Amino acid sequence: MAERLKPLFAALLVLLASACDPPEKTLHESHYIFGTLVEIVIRNPDQTKAREAIVAVVELLRDQHREWHAWKPGGELYRINKAIADGSSIAVSDAMASMIEEAKRLSALSGGLFDPGIGAIVGAWGFHADEPPKGRKPPLDEIRALAARRPSISQITITDGVLSSSNRAVQLDFGAFAKGYGLDAGMAHLKTLGIKHAILNAGGDLNVIGEAYGRPWRVGIRHPVGWGVLGAVEAADGEAVYTSGNYERFLEVEGVRHSHILDPRDGMPVTHIASATVIHESGALADAAATALSVAGPEAWEEVAQAMGVERVLLVTEDGDILQSAGLGSSFALEPAD
Ligand code: AMP
Ligand code: MG
């Protein structure tokens, strides 16, 4: 989705989420974090407490964004990537070590289709920029050479707080699961502050707790074409809904759109799947799985979903076909909420 359309879209989602709520009791705020508009919706009787909680969670998410940024200097991930490229080891924080271990675990579950160790390939395509360079031909020889070195997060080890990589082609890029991991932490923080009903929505990727007034939060799922919604799901207390779409960021060269979701096996962009949505109790898992299922494609997605322990999946193929897992049941409705 073009950057300029994101605010419009996020507003649409919130409309869906709160269509019937008395607005005076629900606080809504938007902040630009993670390269997208993050919408925070809190329903709480004490409005002062809700406002304080918003300030706290915004600070937490901003810190995450800085520390986990793959290509902007100033954060821990940037320093780690520099050390790996130099062939050195580096001491890492406990928080970063936990995040990397979780990413490794999810990558292994996905059979390597979600692999945050392919940052160099993502960068070579031009996606390490706020706007991918329109019209610039991708350096395919460089991309193939990088992919042939098979960089993978599985080649990272952390011992006694010191990280090293057995492959210098590895560069960490958390773009495929940072929102999920980060919003999980954000939601956990809101709960410690006593908030019981909330949505954290990063441009259509979201976590919810509690409920709207007497019914589950109802949230929109992004349409892979255009900027409307494909339909709506009811998200129960503690659920997360994550969508990966090849429409979201892409490199357009001579009328061809190259998706920002890459197959780690050859470094090439995903072609068969327009979008993959996963609903799960863990945002980190839902986010990683949505990316992995996009890579798996129409043939292998069921197998990968099972391996990752994901039961509720909605895929839209490049041809516009909708594929749903049996576990999705009636929780998804094609028509937007009224
Ligand atoms: P998402 O929108 O969650 O699918 O994340 C896509 C982002 O993750 C891209 O912009 C890249 O930064 C990165 N990425 C692309 N392909 C993969 C992959 N197969 N595994 C892990 N990260 C990826
Ligand atoms: Mg993802």
Side-chain angles (χ1 to χ4, degrees):
M1 184 186 303
E3 290 296 318
R4 66 184 186 281
L5 298 176
K6 282 183 174 162
L8 182 69
F9 180 73
L12 182 60
L13 275 174
V14 167
L15 266 180
L16 265 179
S18 57
C20 311
D21 299 346
E24 72 277 11
K25 293 236 170 157
T26 307
L27 271 186
H28 295 232
E29 265 193 35
S30 306
H31 294 265
Y32 198 76
I33 319 172
F34 291 127
T36 191
L37 203 69
V38 175
E39 195 81 33
I40 301 157
V41 181
I42 293 185
R43 182 165 82 76
N44 195 59
D46 180 342
Q47 301 279 289
T48 307
K49 196 166 153 184
R51 268 196 199 91
E52 286 168 3
I54 289 180
V55 171
V57 81
V58 166
E59 195 183 325
L60 178 76
L61 300 180
R62 282 202 199 289
D63 285 350
Q64 293 172 345
H65 181 56
R66 188 185 56 250
E67 295 304 325
W68 304 348
H69 209 289
W71 76 87
K72 281 190 185 149
E76 188 171 12
L77 195 68
Y78 185 86
R79 293 192 290 277
I80 291 172
N81 280 336
K82 186 155 185 333
I84 297 172
D86 293 346
S88 350
S89 343
I90 181 169
V92 293
S93 65
D94 290 348
M96 180 57 79
S98 305
M99 186 174 189
I100 292 173
E101 294 301 351
E102 179 64 355
K104 272 179 82 167
R105 188 182 75 81
L106 295 174
S107 179
L109 282 182
S110 77
L113 299 189
F114 158 73
D115 196 324
I118 62 166
I121 308 176
V122 177
W125 273 102
F127 292 118
H128 281 173
D130 290 331
E131 285 288 339
K134 199 168 189 283
R136 165 187 168 270
K137 284 209 171 105
L140 289 176
D141 288 345
E142 182 193 337
I143 290 164
R144 286 201 190 94
L146 273 171
R149 294 170 70 187
R150 294 309 310 265
S152 168
I153 195 168
S154 64
Q155 294 148 348
I156 299 265
T157 40
I158 302 174
T159 313
D160 297 331
V162 176
L163 176 148
S164 57
S165 171
S166 58
N167 182 352
R168 283 173 71 165
V170 171
Q171 289 285 282
L172 294 174
D173 174 334
F174 289 151
F177 104 126
K179 281 188 204 165
Y181 194 84
L183 295 191
D184 283 351
M187 219 32 136
H189 191 58
L190 284 182
K191 284 206 243 178
T192 65
L193 298 175
I195 301 300
K196 295 193 170 56
H197 307 282
I199 302 177
L200 289 178
N201 168 21
D205 287 331
L206 54 97
N207 286 40
V208 313
I209 53 169
E211 54 175 31
Y213 289 82
R215 59 175 175 81
W217 294 111
R218 198 166 166 79
V219 295
I221 292 183
R222 292 179 293 196
H223 198 292
V225 179
W227 55 90
V229 291
L230 181 68
V233 287
E234 291 194 339
D237 182 22
E239 287 189 337
V241 183
Y242 281 72
T243 299
S244 272
N246 62 8
Y247 53 86
E248 200 184 347
R249 300 192 83 212
F250 50 80
L251 176 70
E252 193 164 345
V253 187
E254 291 166 359
V256 179
R257 289 180 173 192
H258 302 282
S259 166
H260 69 130
I261 302 166
L262 306 175
D263 188 331
R265 295 167 293 195
D266 59 8
M268 292 300 135
V270 161
T271 50
H272 298 298
I273 299 291
S275 77
T277 300
V278 173
I279 307 173
H280 197 272
E281 290 72 32
S282 159
L285 177 59
D287 198 355
T291 306
L293 297 179
S294 298
V295 179
E299 307 296 325
W301 70 273
E302 285 177 290
E303 198 185 314
V304 176
Q306 198 181 14
M308 297 190 81
V310 160
E311 286 176 358
R312 284 174 291 167
V313 178
L314 180 81
L315 298 179
V316 182
T317 69
E318 205 50 57
D319 300 332
D321 293 333
I322 294 180
L323 310 172
Q324 298 188 41
S325 63
L328 198 62
S330 57
S331 53
F332 171 72
L334 249 185
E335 289 299 311
D338 49 21

